[in-house]
Amino acid sequence: MFQNIGEIALLFWSTIRALPLVWRQRAKVLEEFHEIGNASLLMVAVLSFFLGGVIALQTGPVLAERGLHSAIGGLVGISMAKELAPIMMSILIAGRIGSAFAAEIGSMRVYQEIDALRTMNINIVNYLVMPRLVAITIALPMLVTFAILVGWLGGATVAQVTTQIDVPFESFFENMKNIVGIGEVMHGVFKSWCFAWIIGVVSCHQGLTTRGGPRGIGRSVTKAVVNSIVLIVLFDYVLTRLLLH
Amino acid sequence: MNDNGTTQHGVSVQVRGIRRSYGEQEVLKGIDLEVRPGEIFVIMGASGSGKSVLLRHIIGLEAPDAGEILVNGESVHSSDVASKYRMALVFQSGALLNSLTVGENVGLYLSEHRLKSPDEIRKIVLDKLEVVGLKGTEDKLPTELSGGMRKRAAIARALVIEPELILYDEPTSELDPVSSVVIGDEIYQLNKRIGVTSLVVSHDRDLAFGIADRIAVMHEGEIIALGAPDEVKRSQHPVIRKFIHADFKRQPKA
Ligand SMILES: Nc1ncnc2c1ncn2[C@@H]1O[C@H](COP(=O)(O)OP(=O)(O)OP(=O)(O)O)[C@@H](O)[C@H]1O
Ligand SMILES: [Mg+2]
């Protein structure tokens, strides 16, 4: 486990050092970027709409009962922006894209494609890891921004149509504006950017260290997703703590 | 043979006392051999005798437990050997990149290292594919090819590198007799044309005795014979006699 952390840190570092070559690999970055968007945009939209909606549904009636209608918008807004969108979307992407990274690289490892690249003196980090990492660290923050907006929309819609809450659309956003600003959104987007690095590095590392046949690929995929999620949740606490001031 | 006016010189390979174990199993039990610049050196041996593992060590993919491998006198594991000498391994399985087309695979070395313009690369790729008899497959995916076609594409990919050392892992094992001869011929011609040092692993006896300057026979992780094809043929070692003279025992019908 500790050796893994060392290797992961090393991979992270070599990826950073490979970044100047990103322009050369732009075609692959774009391809991965496309893949991530295609694979998750709809899921992200549906998931975040209902996330926002359910927060409104859970908290709305309680607050409304006590006459705190004006707090509902802010509550939904802040929980979506600072916590729910970044963490839920990152977990979703870990499952959808982290698994794909580990599977693709893992099968290249098992079928000796990586060995073939090495004999051709082609750098594995530049060729396989860096483009994926660049793609996911751009795509995830964008998806999270989108998720925050859709989540708010979901919350506002539910607040309007639920009779026990009965907060009109406009006043929901009016109230939200008092509490949630660009800083709150940036907080969430920044965290998701950090999570994107975690997903990318952990999954690529897992792919590269795949052993055994097709079974090994399966094991790598599971490990990549589980380890990413565990690290995301841990880092979420740490980052939130650090960003408190 | 490396100084007869060829445009390129092959490198020498020295394998000294290589040992390698996987877990309990010792796969290479102290291999010593020297491949001279520009020669065709064939390694024969039964399945599982450690030939592929030896090739992986020679090209530097794996590090031995003991011993060393020198390319032109420098360890393959020193950092600059990989950039100083062009080396290629034709994998037993082909090991084409499944996400790329055949043409992209064959041109990968040139395109990744930006050695030629895309137009030139395309020309070279088509040319090499034709050499190995795969004209018209450049836009297919590796999964759309047969095993033997994949192997030939892998050979084309190695040819494009214009290596100074080329290692072939069973280049003809999946080919029909006619293609085998074509590939054997190409291995020979390439060697003569650019003086590339060629190390061929094969249990194809016809190929081995047809193209080899020298032959080594490997058995359970050891070299049990090494010499010119005639010497090896005359060897009295029982394993070698069996290997060279193995044939079906079916009696002709009376
Ligand atoms: N990565 C590995 N881990 C464990 N054992 C291995 C590994 N690679 C090879 N071996 C073992 O080493 C031995 C030699 O394998 P190798 O692939 O070199 O045989 P070979 O001579 O190339 O046979 P063939 O002619 O069938 O290709 C085999 O017994 C194999 O089980
Ligand atoms: Mg083999």
Side-chain angles (χ1 to χ4, degrees):
Chain A
M1 184 64 195
F2 284 109
Q3 191 197 345
N4 274 355
I5 290 175
E7 284 173 11
I8 290 171
L10 218 67
L11 184 63
F12 175 70
W13 178 234
S14 10
T15 310
I16 299 285
R17 278 198 322 194
L19 280 180
L21 295 171
V22 68
W23 186 244
R24 267 194 184 202
Q25 304 286 1
R26 62 189 181 278
K28 251 182 274 141
V29 173
L30 213 65
E31 189 187 316
E32 292 293 338
F33 187 76
H34 233 89
E35 177 75 29
I36 298 173
N38 269 343
S40 24
L41 204 56
L42 187 66
M43 265 199 300
V44 165
V46 173
L47 192 65
S48 40
F49 187 87
F50 282 99
L51 266 175
V54 84
I55 302 290
L57 204 56
Q58 290 277 20
T59 59
V62 182
L63 292 172
E65 226 176 63
R66 290 160 178 76
L68 297 168
H69 293 82
S70 62
I72 299 173
L75 193 87
V76 172
I78 210 161
S79 42
M80 211 54 213
K82 290 182 89 169
E83 195 53 48
L84 285 169
I87 197 130
M88 291 304 284
M89 296 314 127
S90 300
I91 289 175
L92 182 77
I93 292 298
R96 185 63 190 73
I97 305 301
S99 60
F101 285 1
E104 286 159 9
I105 297 181
S107 78
M108 293 186 73
R109 161 100 229 168
V110 167
Y111 297 111
Q112 295 186 319
E113 293 178 27
I114 290 192
D115 289 338
L117 288 171
R118 281 172 61 199
T119 64
M120 285 191 274
N121 212 10
I122 293 172
N123 187 306
I124 304 301
V125 173
N126 298 354
Y127 187 77
L128 293 176
V129 179
M130 184 267 284
R132 287 180 164 81
L133 268 159
V134 171
I136 196 174
T137 49
I138 297 174
L140 185 53
M142 286 172 72
L143 283 174
V144 166
T145 311
F146 174 68
I148 292 171
L149 297 176
V150 176
W152 289 348
L153 211 63
T157 310
V158 169
Q160 166 146 9
V161 300
T162 311
T163 42
Q164 291 96 317
I165 307 174
D166 198 27
V167 174
F169 215 77
E170 302 79 43
S171 35
F172 179 94
F173 281 107
E174 206 50 55
N175 295 330
M176 198 175 91
K177 260 202 311 212
N178 293 330
I179 299 180
V180 186
I182 190 79
E184 277 66 33
V185 175
M186 287 318 291
H187 174 111
V189 171
F190 172 75
K191 284 203 301 190
S192 73
W193 182 73
C194 301
F195 300 158
W197 281 102
I198 294 177
I199 299 168
V201 181
V202 168
S203 306
C204 290
H205 170 261
Q206 203 52 251
L208 287 172
T209 51
T210 301
R211 246 174 269 277
R215 261 236 182 121
I217 302 174
R219 257 197 314 268
S220 273
V221 170
T222 316
K223 267 197 191 164
V225 175
V226 172
N227 290 353
S228 295
I229 292 176
V230 170
L231 281 175
I232 286 171
V233 175
L234 286 180
F235 267 77
D236 186 35
Y237 183 82
V238 174
L239 285 170
T240 308
R241 190 79 232 197
L242 289 176
L243 290 171
L244 212 55
H245 336 284
Chain B
M1 145 185 343
N2 57 333
D3 47 15
N4 53 2
T6 50
T7 51
Q8 201 178 349
H9 299 291
V11 293
S12 71
V13 178
Q14 280 162 299
V15 176
R16 290 191 184 149
I18 292 296
R19 291 180 172 277
R20 180 63 196 265
S21 304
Y22 290 106
E24 294 285 280
Q25 186 194 7
E26 188 167 35
V27 176
L28 300 179
K29 302 172 183 167
I31 301 279
D32 283 288
L33 54 86
E34 181 171 353
V35 185
R36 297 171 192 146
E39 86 174 328
I40 301 183
F41 192 98
V42 175
I43 299 178
M44 297 174 80
S47 185
S49 54
K51 305 181 299 291
S52 298
V53 172
L54 178 61
L55 288 190
R56 291 174 62 81
H57 280 79
I58 290 177
I59 198 138
L61 280 175
E62 289 188 44
D65 297 333
E68 56 178 354
I69 288 145
L70 306 177
V71 173
N72 265 6
E74 291 174 67
S75 165
V76 273
H77 291 288
S78 72
S79 53
D80 53 329
V81 160
S83 43
K84 202 153 143 195
Y85 303 112
R86 290 183 171 199
M87 302 188 275
L89 168 59
V90 179
F91 285 79
Q92 193 165 2
S93 61
L96 299 173
L97 270 62
N98 280 313
S99 55
L100 302 182
T101 65
V102 171
E104 285 166 342
N105 263 289
V106 173
L108 188 63
Y109 183 84
L110 298 178
S111 56
E112 270 309 302
H113 292 292
R114 316 195 133 200
L115 298 171
K116 296 264 159 59
S117 73
D119 285 340
E120 284 173 292
I121 293 176
R122 185 154 182 86
K123 216 173 130 279
I124 294 170
V125 165
L126 294 179
D127 186 50
K128 297 299 180 206
L129 280 174
E130 191 166 355
V131 166
V132 297
L134 286 179
K135 208 174 160 186
T137 58
E138 63 273 9
D139 293 326
K140 291 198 163 148
L141 287 171
T143 45
E144 296 168 329
L145 301 185
S146 75
M149 289 163 88
R150 278 200 285 270
K151 182 66 81 51
R152 280 183 281 161
I155 292 174
R157 183 173 68 180
L159 298 184
V160 165
I161 298 174
E162 297 193 335
E164 290 144 287
L165 170 65
I166 183 163
L167 312 176
Y168 302 90
D169 198 347
E170 318 236 353
T172 60
S173 59
E174 284 160 311
L175 302 185
D176 60 88
V178 178
S179 313
S180 290
V181 170
V182 171
I183 291 300
D185 214 45
E186 182 52 34
I187 292 173
Y188 184 80
Q189 292 301 334
L190 180 77
N191 174 265
K192 293 296 163 266
R193 205 160 62 231
I194 63 177
V196 53
T197 307
S198 313
L199 187 60
V200 185
V201 158
S202 180
H203 21 222
D204 181 339
R205 287 171 293 187
D206 295 336
L207 176 77
F209 289 107
I211 64 172
D213 292 318
R214 289 192 302 151
I215 294 180
V217 182
M218 220 171 141
H219 180 63
E220 293 181 356
E222 286 172 303
I223 302 280
I224 54 172
L226 197 163
D230 285 341
E231 294 173 58
V232 173
K233 228 176 214 164
R234 285 198 305 269
S235 166
Q236 291 305 313
H237 195 295
V239 176
I240 298 172
R241 291 201 63 77
K242 239 198 210 147
F243 196 83
I244 291 174
H245 300 290
D247 222 327
F248 296 104
K249 287 268 161 29
R250 190 172 158 174
Q251 301 295 327
K253 281 202 182 106

